[in-house]
Amino acid sequence: MERLARAVRTMQRVPVRKSIPRPTARRLSLYLRELTSRLEQGELTVNSKALGRTLGLTDAQVRKDLAIFGQFGHPGRGYTIAQLIESLRRIMGRDRNWRVCVIGAGNIGRALASYERFTSEGFTIAAIFDNDGSLGTREVGGLTVLPMSKLAKTIASERIRLGIIAVPRESAQQVADALVAAGVEGILNFAPRRIEVREGIGIVSVDFTVALEQLTFQIATGEIVEDGKHALPHGDASTQS
Amino acid sequence: MERLARAVRTMQRVPVRKSIPRPTARRLSLYLRELTSRLEQGELTVNSKALGRTLGLTDAQVRKDLAIFGQFGHPGRGYTIAQLIESLRRIMGRDRNWRVCVIGAGNIGRALASYERFTSEGFTIAAIFDNDGSLGTREVGGLTVLPMSKLAKTIASERIRLGIIAVPRESAQQVADALVAAGVEGILNFAPRRIEVREGIGIVSVDFTVALEQLTFQIATGEIVEDGKHALPHGDASTQS
DNA sequence: CTCTGTGAAAACATTCACAGCG
DNA sequence: CGCTGTGAATGTTTTCACAGAG
């Protein structure tokens, strides 16, 4: 834990042996989001109780999650927000910029390619691809839509590491294969099917229909959600179809 | 179990006392999606092993999940796909059409309002709202963008039961409050913050940045994902910020 | 005092393994 | 046989509760 904590503070490729509990991984993103928001509000410190409350978690949960990576808190005082953000960003691999491409220039692909929060959070959309010349837009958010034939070369030349799949279900797996072959390290999939990737490639899926259906399920069963936990953001790591 | 099974087969408001395990709720959506796809391929039956394999789950897991609602399988034979789909749709509240509205006519809101799969899956986008007159599009997928002032009346007159929030973070909670006040039963939230709703209202959140971050986390930690489970679709019921 | 980090206990979820149905 | 449904065993995650730091 000591070694790990130091590694986290000073390094990049954290050699996490004790695989992080999957639910914790999801929550780390929420902590980071909430902390950033609090820092913007001018808050300097926060304790596990307050952080937990705004996220619908217990204080113990918050402390357990954060303690996995080392000692970030100050007993009697809480956590220094700026410090914790920095640590979390490093842990999540967010301490540097990631170059991303979008495949599919339909409604969803275009919306994602011009999603401003990606940019402000350090994700650069470096290219967008589509094979269908019939799509009105040939330009999206300042990027020219490239044909799929340029995928491999562009991913290499633009040093793209992540791909976002926004193509119809039928071609999604094929696009995923092309992305992996071209060297991306992770895929965010919006097509409504499970994508298979080889060991070592990251995959997260978001299915809008599944999301809506989780809602109708909650309603049909008369709200199963007991505590304050509700549903988490789709498409997370805990997340795949 | 007998009572429940019959209730499921013949009724609507299933009085599920034994709260469904949250992970199971997520997986039910995946079963339904996969089964529908198999039915379209012309398959008539499937067994737990095969279903599990394509979803990255064990056969025991699949059987446990499905057995919660009654006896759907035929020993020695497997499950009749059409039958199972019908049961699952009922359980998920998908056996009838849901009327939905979208708030926010920016890139994301417009993409969601014209997402064809919603329509084909039985979700009708009945209205789209936005307050910003400066947005180019005054019409989206055949719908006129209405001002927020018409929210309450339209939700009532159009019998809208679900709302999709696609507005900036700053106004998301306020929009959620307006939706609940107007009578919606559930909210699918795309704004990057946690939304508070009163007991009894369904909530599912999808945060694209969180989704991408789960990906960078997988990569930064050198793939924590041990089994074949990978990440699930974001925005699911297990899912909230 | 306040509030963290953490073992130990409790709750929850998954896998095993097998009786029993067709 | 083949394959479901399910108790019992195992594994994982959450909660409790408290010693100890500041």
Side-chain angles (χ1 to χ4, degrees):
Chain A
M1 201 94 303
E2 234 6 287
R3 258 187 59 255
L4 218 190
R6 187 159 42 254
V8 165
R9 268 193 296 278
T10 60
M11 271 289 301
Q12 41 295 353
R13 187 120 321 174
V14 186
V16 182
R17 280 298 130 253
K18 287 289 179 191
S19 125
I20 283 80
R22 200 186 298 271
T24 297
R26 272 211 307 284
R27 288 189 300 262
L28 291 177
S29 279
L30 305 186
Y31 297 144
L32 188 47
R33 193 177 71 183
E34 176 63 20
L35 289 165
T36 306
S37 160
R38 281 175 183 250
L39 190 68
E40 276 165 15
Q41 307 296 300
E43 296 175 45
L44 296 178
T45 63
V46 67
N47 62 41
S48 57
K49 185 108 167 279
L51 187 50
R53 190 148 34 69
T54 67
L55 293 172
L57 307 167
T58 66
D59 52 342
Q61 178 94 82
V62 172
R63 291 198 300 276
K64 262 266 150 78
D65 284 344
L66 297 178
I68 289 178
F69 301 98
Q71 320 240 131
F72 294 129
H74 308 289
R77 211 164 302 275
Y79 298 85
T80 305
I81 292 180
Q83 211 175 86
L84 188 49
I85 287 176
E86 211 202 316
S87 301
L88 283 176
R89 287 180 58 87
R90 198 132 45 196
I91 290 161
M92 306 299 283
R94 292 284 311 280
D95 54 336
R96 51 206 237 34
N97 189 78
W98 289 82
R99 298 178 62 79
V100 183
C101 67
V102 173
I103 326 299
N107 292 325
I108 306 287
R110 293 201 307 275
L112 292 167
S114 40
Y115 188 52
E116 289 176 19
R117 192 156 230 261
F118 282 160
T119 310
S120 66
E121 289 287 325
F123 294 101
T124 301
I125 306 292
I128 176 165
F129 301 92
D130 201 306
N131 247 345
D132 190 347
S134 76
L135 283 163
T137 328
R138 293 278 85 201
E139 180 147 335
V140 176
L143 291 171
T144 302
V145 178
L146 301 173
M148 289 297 286
S149 55
K150 298 218 171 135
L151 188 80
K153 249 181 271 187
T154 309
I155 283 174
S157 68
E158 290 286 333
R159 302 181 320 285
I160 288 168
R161 299 179 66 193
L162 304 176
I164 298 180
I165 295 183
V167 301
R169 201 181 60 146
E170 295 69 36
S171 34
Q173 180 63 58
Q174 180 189 317
V175 167
D177 294 343
L179 283 168
V180 172
V184 305
E185 296 161 62
I187 292 174
L188 176 53
N189 170 48
F190 285 87
R193 59 159 293 173
R194 181 175 145 92
I195 298 292
E196 308 266 7
V197 288
R198 66 153 216 273
E199 182 82 356
I201 302 293
I203 174 88
V204 170
S205 284
V206 176
D207 183 330
F208 297 137
T209 307
V210 166
L212 258 189
E213 182 169 272
Q214 290 295 315
L215 207 46
T216 63
F217 179 69
Q218 285 181 27
I219 295 166
T221 54
E223 211 63 19
I224 303 300
V225 183
E226 326 80 356
D227 35 36
K229 278 163 196 168
H230 284 307
L232 260 187
H234 252 225
D236 63 333
S238 73
T239 302
Q240 147 80 16
S241 46
Chain B
M1 201 93 303
E2 237 3 291
R3 258 189 59 255
L4 218 190
R6 187 159 43 254
V8 165
R9 268 192 297 277
T10 61
M11 271 289 300
Q12 40 296 354
R13 186 120 321 171
V14 185
V16 182
R17 280 297 129 253
K18 287 290 180 196
S19 123
I20 283 80
R22 200 185 296 271
T24 297
R26 272 211 305 285
R27 288 189 300 262
L28 291 177
S29 279
L30 305 185
Y31 298 144
L32 188 47
R33 192 177 71 184
E34 176 62 21
L35 289 165
T36 306
S37 159
R38 280 173 185 252
L39 190 68
E40 276 165 15
Q41 308 295 300
E43 296 176 45
L44 296 178
T45 65
V46 67
N47 61 42
S48 57
K49 185 109 166 278
L51 188 50
R53 189 149 33 70
T54 66
L55 292 172
L57 307 167
T58 64
D59 52 342
Q61 178 93 82
V62 173
R63 292 198 301 275
K64 262 269 150 82
D65 284 344
L66 297 178
I68 290 178
F69 301 98
Q71 319 241 131
F72 295 130
H74 308 290
R77 210 167 301 275
Y79 299 86
T80 306
I81 292 179
Q83 210 174 88
L84 187 49
I85 287 176
E86 212 202 316
S87 301
L88 283 176
R89 286 180 58 87
R90 198 132 44 197
I91 290 163
M92 307 298 284
R94 293 285 311 280
D95 54 336
R96 51 205 240 29
N97 190 77
W98 288 82
R99 297 178 61 78
V100 184
C101 68
V102 174
I103 326 300
N107 293 323
I108 307 286
R110 294 202 308 276
L112 292 167
S114 40
Y115 188 52
E116 290 176 19
R117 193 156 230 262
F118 282 159
T119 310
S120 67
E121 290 286 326
F123 295 100
T124 301
I125 306 293
I128 176 164
F129 301 91
D130 201 306
N131 247 345
D132 189 346
S134 75
L135 283 164
T137 330
R138 292 279 83 198
E139 182 148 334
V140 176
L143 291 169
T144 302
V145 178
L146 302 172
M148 288 298 286
S149 54
K150 299 219 170 136
L151 187 80
K153 250 180 272 190
T154 309
I155 283 174
S157 68
E158 291 286 333
R159 303 180 319 286
I160 287 168
R161 299 179 65 194
L162 304 176
I164 298 181
I165 295 182
V167 301
R169 200 181 62 147
E170 295 69 34
S171 34
Q173 181 64 57
Q174 180 189 317
V175 167
D177 295 342
L179 284 168
V180 172
V184 305
E185 295 162 62
I187 292 173
L188 175 53
N189 169 49
F190 285 89
R193 60 159 291 171
R194 180 175 147 92
I195 298 292
E196 309 266 8
V197 288
R198 65 154 216 271
E199 181 83 356
I201 302 294
I203 174 86
V204 170
S205 284
V206 176
D207 183 330
F208 297 138
T209 307
V210 167
L212 258 188
E213 182 170 273
Q214 291 294 316
L215 207 47
T216 63
F217 179 69
Q218 285 181 28
I219 296 166
T221 52
E223 211 65 18
I224 305 299
V225 185
E226 327 79 356
D227 35 37
K229 279 162 196 170
H230 284 307
L232 259 187
H234 252 222
D236 62 333
S238 73
T239 300
Q240 147 80 15
S241 45

mmCIF file of all heavy atoms in Angstrom, chain B residues 114-139:
data_model
loop_
_atom_site.group_PDB
_atom_site.id
_atom_site.type_symbol
_atom_site.label_atom_id
_atom_site.label_comp_id
_atom_site.label_asym_id
_atom_site.label_seq_id
_atom_site.Cartn_x
_atom_site.Cartn_y
_atom_site.Cartn_z
ATOM 1 N N SER B 114 -33.928 11.666 -32.577
ATOM 2 C CA SER B 114 -34.107 11.001 -33.870
ATOM 3 C C SER B 114 -33.429 9.632 -33.911
ATOM 4 O O SER B 114 -33.194 9.084 -34.982
ATOM 5 C CB SER B 114 -33.614 11.904 -35.007
ATOM 6 O OG SER B 114 -32.435 12.582 -34.661
ATOM 7 N N TYR B 115 -33.153 9.086 -32.738
ATOM 8 C CA TYR B 115 -32.541 7.750 -32.663
ATOM 9 C C TYR B 115 -33.596 6.722 -33.056
ATOM 10 O O TYR B 115 -34.573 6.494 -32.347
ATOM 11 C CB TYR B 115 -32.056 7.511 -31.231
ATOM 12 C CG TYR B 115 -31.235 6.254 -31.024
ATOM 13 C CD1 TYR B 115 -30.128 5.959 -31.815
ATOM 14 C CD2 TYR B 115 -31.555 5.364 -30.002
ATOM 15 C CE1 TYR B 115 -29.368 4.819 -31.593
ATOM 16 C CE2 TYR B 115 -30.796 4.224 -29.766
ATOM 17 C CZ TYR B 115 -29.706 3.957 -30.568
ATOM 18 O OH TYR B 115 -28.953 2.829 -30.345
ATOM 19 N N GLU B 116 -33.378 6.088 -34.186
ATOM 20 C CA GLU B 116 -34.435 5.228 -34.731
ATOM 21 C C GLU B 116 -34.742 4.004 -33.885
ATOM 22 O O GLU B 116 -35.856 3.506 -33.853
ATOM 23 C CB GLU B 116 -34.074 4.814 -36.156
ATOM 24 C CG GLU B 116 -34.162 5.993 -37.115
ATOM 25 C CD GLU B 116 -33.699 5.621 -38.523
ATOM 26 O OE1 GLU B 116 -33.673 4.409 -38.831
ATOM 27 O OE2 GLU B 116 -33.360 6.544 -39.282
ATOM 28 N N ARG B 117 -33.730 3.518 -33.228
ATOM 29 C CA ARG B 117 -33.947 2.310 -32.428
ATOM 30 C C ARG B 117 -34.993 2.523 -31.327
ATOM 31 O O ARG B 117 -35.695 1.602 -30.948
ATOM 32 C CB ARG B 117 -32.608 1.861 -31.835
ATOM 33 C CG ARG B 117 -32.635 0.482 -31.248
ATOM 34 C CD ARG B 117 -31.241 -0.115 -31.216
ATOM 35 N NE ARG B 117 -31.265 -1.439 -31.789
ATOM 36 C CZ ARG B 117 -31.324 -2.562 -31.064
ATOM 37 N NH1 ARG B 117 -31.353 -2.500 -29.756
ATOM 38 N NH2 ARG B 117 -31.331 -3.733 -31.638
ATOM 39 N N PHE B 118 -35.069 3.731 -30.809
ATOM 40 C CA PHE B 118 -36.097 3.984 -29.790
ATOM 41 C C PHE B 118 -37.472 3.654 -30.355
ATOM 42 O O PHE B 118 -38.279 2.955 -29.750
ATOM 43 C CB PHE B 118 -36.067 5.445 -29.339
ATOM 44 C CG PHE B 118 -34.953 5.784 -28.376
ATOM 45 C CD1 PHE B 118 -34.524 7.092 -28.208
ATOM 46 C CD2 PHE B 118 -34.337 4.788 -27.628
ATOM 47 C CE1 PHE B 118 -33.503 7.415 -27.309
ATOM 48 C CE2 PHE B 118 -33.315 5.092 -26.720
ATOM 49 C CZ PHE B 118 -32.898 6.414 -26.570
ATOM 50 N N THR B 119 -37.710 4.177 -31.534
ATOM 51 C CA THR B 119 -38.998 3.950 -32.181
ATOM 52 C C THR B 119 -39.247 2.466 -32.403
ATOM 53 O O THR B 119 -40.286 1.931 -32.030
ATOM 54 C CB THR B 119 -39.021 4.676 -33.543
ATOM 55 O OG1 THR B 119 -38.605 6.019 -33.327
ATOM 56 C CG2 THR B 119 -40.410 4.652 -34.139
ATOM 57 N N SER B 120 -38.266 1.785 -32.978
ATOM 58 C CA SER B 120 -38.487 0.377 -33.299
ATOM 59 C C SER B 120 -38.615 -0.473 -32.041
ATOM 60 O O SER B 120 -39.157 -1.568 -32.070
ATOM 61 C CB SER B 120 -37.355 -0.141 -34.192
ATOM 62 O OG SER B 120 -36.138 -0.165 -33.483
ATOM 63 N N GLU B 121 -38.141 0.021 -30.927
ATOM 64 C CA GLU B 121 -38.228 -0.740 -29.685
ATOM 65 C C GLU B 121 -39.448 -0.354 -28.850
ATOM 66 O O GLU B 121 -39.594 -0.799 -27.718
ATOM 67 C CB GLU B 121 -36.951 -0.548 -28.860
ATOM 68 C CG GLU B 121 -35.728 -1.223 -29.455
ATOM 69 C CD GLU B 121 -35.767 -2.750 -29.275
ATOM 70 O OE1 GLU B 121 -36.278 -3.213 -28.252
ATOM 71 O OE2 GLU B 121 -35.297 -3.455 -30.195
ATOM 72 N N GLY B 122 -40.258 0.534 -29.369
ATOM 73 C CA GLY B 122 -41.484 0.852 -28.651
ATOM 74 C C GLY B 122 -41.420 2.077 -27.752
ATOM 75 O O GLY B 122 -42.227 2.231 -26.847
ATOM 76 N N PHE B 123 -40.444 2.931 -27.995
ATOM 77 C CA PHE B 123 -40.407 4.205 -27.277
ATOM 78 C C PHE B 123 -40.752 5.302 -28.269
ATOM 79 O O PHE B 123 -40.085 5.458 -29.285
ATOM 80 C CB PHE B 123 -39.011 4.459 -26.690
ATOM 81 C CG PHE B 123 -38.609 3.479 -25.619
ATOM 82 C CD1 PHE B 123 -37.762 2.423 -25.911
ATOM 83 C CD2 PHE B 123 -39.088 3.607 -24.325
ATOM 84 C CE1 PHE B 123 -37.394 1.505 -24.918
ATOM 85 C CE2 PHE B 123 -38.726 2.708 -23.335
ATOM 86 C CZ PHE B 123 -37.877 1.653 -23.629
ATOM 87 N N THR B 124 -41.791 6.039 -27.972
ATOM 88 C CA THR B 124 -42.195 7.100 -28.891
ATOM 89 C C THR B 124 -41.727 8.454 -28.375
ATOM 90 O O THR B 124 -42.071 8.850 -27.263
ATOM 91 C CB THR B 124 -43.733 7.135 -29.026
ATOM 92 O OG1 THR B 124 -44.167 5.868 -29.512
ATOM 93 C CG2 THR B 124 -44.169 8.234 -29.977
ATOM 94 N N ILE B 125 -40.930 9.128 -29.174
ATOM 95 C CA ILE B 125 -40.533 10.485 -28.790
ATOM 96 C C ILE B 125 -41.695 11.392 -29.174
ATOM 97 O O ILE B 125 -41.956 11.629 -30.350
ATOM 98 C CB ILE B 125 -39.251 10.936 -29.522
ATOM 99 C CG1 ILE B 125 -38.112 9.928 -29.324
ATOM 100 C CG2 ILE B 125 -38.837 12.331 -29.033
ATOM 101 C CD1 ILE B 125 -37.571 9.806 -27.938
ATOM 102 N N ALA B 126 -42.382 11.889 -28.146
ATOM 103 C CA ALA B 126 -43.611 12.619 -28.398
ATOM 104 C C ALA B 126 -43.414 14.130 -28.373
ATOM 105 O O ALA B 126 -44.283 14.879 -28.809
ATOM 106 C CB ALA B 126 -44.672 12.226 -27.374
ATOM 107 N N ALA B 127 -42.275 14.587 -27.843
ATOM 108 C CA ALA B 127 -42.028 16.027 -27.808
ATOM 109 C C ALA B 127 -40.565 16.310 -27.517
ATOM 110 O O ALA B 127 -39.858 15.495 -26.918
ATOM 111 C CB ALA B 127 -42.886 16.688 -26.729
ATOM 112 N N ILE B 128 -40.116 17.474 -27.981
ATOM 113 C CA ILE B 128 -38.761 17.930 -27.654
ATOM 114 C C ILE B 128 -38.844 19.403 -27.277
ATOM 115 O O ILE B 128 -39.572 20.178 -27.912
ATOM 116 C CB ILE B 128 -37.752 17.666 -28.800
ATOM 117 C CG1 ILE B 128 -36.374 18.243 -28.449
ATOM 118 C CG2 ILE B 128 -38.248 18.180 -30.145
ATOM 119 C CD1 ILE B 128 -35.232 17.717 -29.305
ATOM 120 N N PHE B 129 -38.137 19.741 -26.215
ATOM 121 C CA PHE B 129 -38.210 21.101 -25.664
ATOM 122 C C PHE B 129 -36.838 21.753 -25.635
ATOM 123 O O PHE B 129 -35.812 21.077 -25.500
ATOM 124 C CB PHE B 129 -38.739 21.060 -24.224
ATOM 125 C CG PHE B 129 -40.091 20.440 -24.083
ATOM 126 C CD1 PHE B 129 -40.228 19.077 -23.837
ATOM 127 C CD2 PHE B 129 -41.248 21.212 -24.204
ATOM 128 C CE1 PHE B 129 -41.487 18.499 -23.704
ATOM 129 C CE2 PHE B 129 -42.510 20.639 -24.071
ATOM 130 C CZ PHE B 129 -42.622 19.277 -23.828
ATOM 131 N N ASP B 130 -36.843 23.060 -25.720
ATOM 132 C CA ASP B 130 -35.608 23.819 -25.541
ATOM 133 C C ASP B 130 -35.992 25.269 -25.352
ATOM 134 O O ASP B 130 -36.989 25.728 -25.912
ATOM 135 C CB ASP B 130 -34.688 23.680 -26.751
ATOM 136 C CG ASP B 130 -33.254 24.004 -26.374
ATOM 137 O OD1 ASP B 130 -33.007 25.106 -25.817
ATOM 138 O OD2 ASP B 130 -32.368 23.174 -26.616
ATOM 139 N N ASN B 131 -35.205 25.969 -24.588
ATOM 140 C CA ASN B 131 -35.527 27.366 -24.357
ATOM 141 C C ASN B 131 -34.746 28.300 -25.254
ATOM 142 O O ASN B 131 -35.093 29.453 -25.420
ATOM 143 C CB ASN B 131 -35.244 27.746 -22.905
ATOM 144 C CG ASN B 131 -36.542 28.067 -22.195
ATOM 145 O OD1 ASN B 131 -37.567 28.269 -22.849
ATOM 146 N ND2 ASN B 131 -36.503 28.098 -20.888
ATOM 147 N N ASP B 132 -33.684 27.767 -25.830
ATOM 148 C CA ASP B 132 -32.773 28.619 -26.573
ATOM 149 C C ASP B 132 -33.217 28.777 -28.024
ATOM 150 O O ASP B 132 -33.037 27.880 -28.843
ATOM 151 C CB ASP B 132 -31.372 28.006 -26.497
ATOM 152 C CG ASP B 132 -30.337 28.962 -27.056
ATOM 153 O OD1 ASP B 132 -30.723 29.935 -27.722
ATOM 154 O OD2 ASP B 132 -29.151 28.723 -26.818
ATOM 155 N N GLY B 133 -33.737 29.917 -28.336
ATOM 156 C CA GLY B 133 -34.199 30.161 -29.692
ATOM 157 C C GLY B 133 -33.070 30.256 -30.699
ATOM 158 O O GLY B 133 -33.296 30.198 -31.905
ATOM 159 N N SER B 134 -31.846 30.371 -30.192
ATOM 160 C CA SER B 134 -30.726 30.583 -31.109
ATOM 161 C C SER B 134 -30.279 29.292 -31.782
ATOM 162 O O SER B 134 -29.499 29.297 -32.725
ATOM 163 C CB SER B 134 -29.540 31.185 -30.342
ATOM 164 O OG SER B 134 -28.927 30.198 -29.554
ATOM 165 N N LEU B 135 -30.752 28.155 -31.274
ATOM 166 C CA LEU B 135 -30.366 26.891 -31.900
ATOM 167 C C LEU B 135 -30.952 26.838 -33.304
ATOM 168 O O LEU B 135 -32.148 27.045 -33.490
ATOM 169 C CB LEU B 135 -30.871 25.707 -31.070
ATOM 170 C CG LEU B 135 -30.040 25.444 -29.812
ATOM 171 C CD1 LEU B 135 -30.794 24.557 -28.847
ATOM 172 C CD2 LEU B 135 -28.710 24.816 -30.188
ATOM 173 N N GLY B 136 -30.092 26.523 -34.244
ATOM 174 C CA GLY B 136 -30.532 26.522 -35.636
ATOM 175 C C GLY B 136 -31.847 25.782 -35.830
ATOM 176 O O GLY B 136 -32.858 26.352 -36.250
ATOM 177 N N THR B 137 -31.841 24.525 -35.441
ATOM 178 C CA THR B 137 -32.979 23.675 -35.746
ATOM 179 C C THR B 137 -34.199 23.995 -34.900
ATOM 180 O O THR B 137 -34.164 23.937 -33.687
ATOM 181 C CB THR B 137 -32.612 22.199 -35.481
ATOM 182 O OG1 THR B 137 -31.225 22.029 -35.718
ATOM 183 C CG2 THR B 137 -33.416 21.295 -36.361
ATOM 184 N N ARG B 138 -35.275 24.282 -35.559
ATOM 185 C CA ARG B 138 -36.551 24.468 -34.874
ATOM 186 C C ARG B 138 -37.411 23.233 -35.047
ATOM 187 O O ARG B 138 -38.531 23.174 -34.602
ATOM 188 C CB ARG B 138 -37.270 25.703 -35.438
ATOM 189 C CG ARG B 138 -36.609 27.033 -35.145
ATOM 190 C CD ARG B 138 -36.935 27.541 -33.751
ATOM 191 N NE ARG B 138 -36.059 26.954 -32.742
ATOM 192 C CZ ARG B 138 -36.328 26.944 -31.443
ATOM 193 N NH1 ARG B 138 -37.440 27.452 -30.990
ATOM 194 N NH2 ARG B 138 -35.503 26.397 -30.596
ATOM 195 N N GLU B 139 -36.893 22.296 -35.793
ATOM 196 C CA GLU B 139 -37.633 21.062 -36.019
ATOM 197 C C GLU B 139 -36.648 19.896 -35.946
ATOM 198 O O GLU B 139 -35.530 19.982 -36.437
ATOM 199 C CB GLU B 139 -38.304 21.103 -37.402
ATOM 200 C CG GLU B 139 -39.129 19.879 -37.687
ATOM 201 C CD GLU B 139 -40.335 20.216 -38.571
ATOM 202 O OE1 GLU B 139 -40.809 21.363 -38.554
ATOM 203 O OE2 GLU B 139 -40.791 19.312 -39.269
#
